[in-house]
Amino acid sequence: MKLVRYGESGAEKPGLLDADGAIRDLSGVVDDIAGDVLTDDGLAKLAAVDPASLPLVDGNPRFGPCVGQVGKFLAIGLNYVDHAAEVGAKLPEEPIVFSKAITCITGPNDTVEIPRGSVQSDWEVELGFVIGKKAKYVSEADAMDYVAGYCIVNDVSERDFQMRRSGQWLKGKSHDTFGPIGPWLVTKDEVADPHDLKMTCSVNGEIQQDGSTNTMHFKVPQIIAHLTQFMTLMPGDVIATGTPPGVGMGKNPPMFLKDGDVMELTVEGLGHQRQVCRSAE
């Protein structure tokens, strides 16, 4: 299934895409694409619904973040072999983990705001996965049982805030709108191999990132096993898994976002994002 949340910001409704790519309203079945809806039982309930029996949504409504009521938004740094090489970093011995504030989460096509004082705002196309059940001390062998599905994440980052503001990556990762998610949450049964997906990011029509999840250093099962040694993951938690090469920071000379720039992102099978950048007032 491809699950969506559509409508105005803060008032999104749950939906799914039918075989023709049209949105069908799930409001009569579930309140939101969140929490227990993402468990195995919750997804089985949705899979049993005939899309043709659901109301057809007219027009082209806004896509909201594909997951609601996110409790934790975590990310893995320097997790692509070729990205680490482009920025001259050594591959970590265990996953580098950081948080993005949940207030940065936004829809896949919403405006991205460049923060006041920003000089190094950057893009990062990433594969995100969503947790489907409570996970604590999970083994790598069992880890995929805890995945509800996958989505595109743009891990927008302000590098100056990230690298030179007292060492806290969180500061450069959490500005409002720095976490576009979606457009779809694609359930794991529709993704044959999350570690072999093409991914791209263009800025103003020029491809900047053209990579694949097959260069991921720590795979999804390793990430889940690692995280659950330190914290309990809950249904609806979102984890971004790192980015391939081509970020602005890694270019020579470096290239960063400015007012009016347009980012477009794809991950194979997970849809397309498009964001226009605007400077904060």
Side-chain angles (χ1 to χ4, degrees):
M1 292 180 291
K2 294 181 174 68
L3 302 174
V4 303
R5 299 171 71 249
Y6 70 95
E8 295 301 314
S9 179
E12 292 93 348
K13 296 180 179 180
L16 59 77
L17 297 189
D18 65 18
D20 297 321
I23 301 174
R24 297 283 179 160
D25 181 41
L26 278 170
S27 297
V29 182
V30 294
D31 293 331
D32 200 356
I33 306 299
D36 289 346
V37 173
L38 299 169
T39 64
D40 290 344
D41 288 345
L43 293 176
K45 178 182 176 181
L46 295 184
V49 176
D50 178 4
S53 70
L54 301 170
L56 184 65
V57 177
D58 294 328
N60 295 292
R62 167 187 173 270
F63 282 112
C66 59
V67 181
Q69 305 171 46
V70 175
K72 291 188 286 295
F73 190 8
L74 305 174
I76 309 300
L78 293 175
N79 196 36
Y80 278 62
V81 174
D82 38 7
H83 171 56
E86 80 167 334
V87 298
K90 182 182 177 181
L91 285 169
E93 294 183 5
E94 61 180 58
I96 295 172
V97 180
F98 61 91
S99 295
K100 292 173 73 76
I102 58 173
T103 49
C104 82
I105 295 173
T106 191
N109 304 314
D110 291 346
T111 298
V112 165
E113 184 178 78
I114 298 175
R116 293 179 183 177
S118 170
V119 292
Q120 296 186 350
S121 288
D122 204 347
W123 55 85
E124 292 191 17
V125 61
E126 306 208 3
L127 170 70
F129 66 87
V130 179
I131 295 297
K133 60 182 176 181
K134 184 177 179 180
K136 181 177 182 179
Y137 293 126
V138 173
S139 69
E140 287 186 32
D142 294 334
M144 298 303 283
D145 293 341
Y146 292 80
V147 175
Y150 302 92
C151 61
I152 303 173
V153 175
N154 187 355
D155 177 21
V156 187
S157 308
E158 212 299 340
R159 303 301 187 186
D160 187 62
F161 296 178
Q162 176 186 352
M163 302 296 187
R164 286 183 282 276
R165 298 294 290 272
S166 299
Q168 296 295 319
W169 283 22
L170 177 72
K171 295 178 182 178
K173 297 286 190 172
S174 295
H175 185 74
D176 292 352
T177 74
F178 269 25
I181 296 176
W184 316 321
L185 172 60
V186 181
T187 51
K188 63 183 176 183
D189 58 295
E190 292 199 9
V191 180
D193 184 358
H195 308 111
D196 190 23
L197 303 176
K198 295 178 181 179
M199 53 204 313
T200 65
C201 177
S202 70
V203 179
N204 300 328
E206 295 187 5
I207 294 289
Q208 303 298 333
Q209 293 184 275
D210 186 3
S212 169
T213 58
N214 64 21
T215 66
M216 200 182 290
H217 180 42
F218 297 107
K219 310 300 187 186
V220 173
Q222 294 170 288
I223 293 169
I224 293 172
H226 183 76
L227 289 174
T228 60
Q229 306 309 301
F230 304 101
M231 68 190 80
T232 298
L233 300 178
M234 298 297 292
D237 286 348
V238 177
I239 294 93
T241 58
T243 198
V247 298
M249 176 179 65
K251 295 188 178 297
N252 186 18
M255 172 184 171
F256 297 111
L257 295 166
K258 61 186 183 301
D259 186 86
D261 283 349
V262 178
M263 295 179 283
E264 296 190 71
L265 297 82
T266 67
V267 175
E268 184 179 358
L270 305 185
H272 174 269
Q273 295 187 354
R274 182 182 187 276
Q275 300 111 23
V276 178
C277 297
R278 294 298 180 203
S279 297
E281 296 181 357

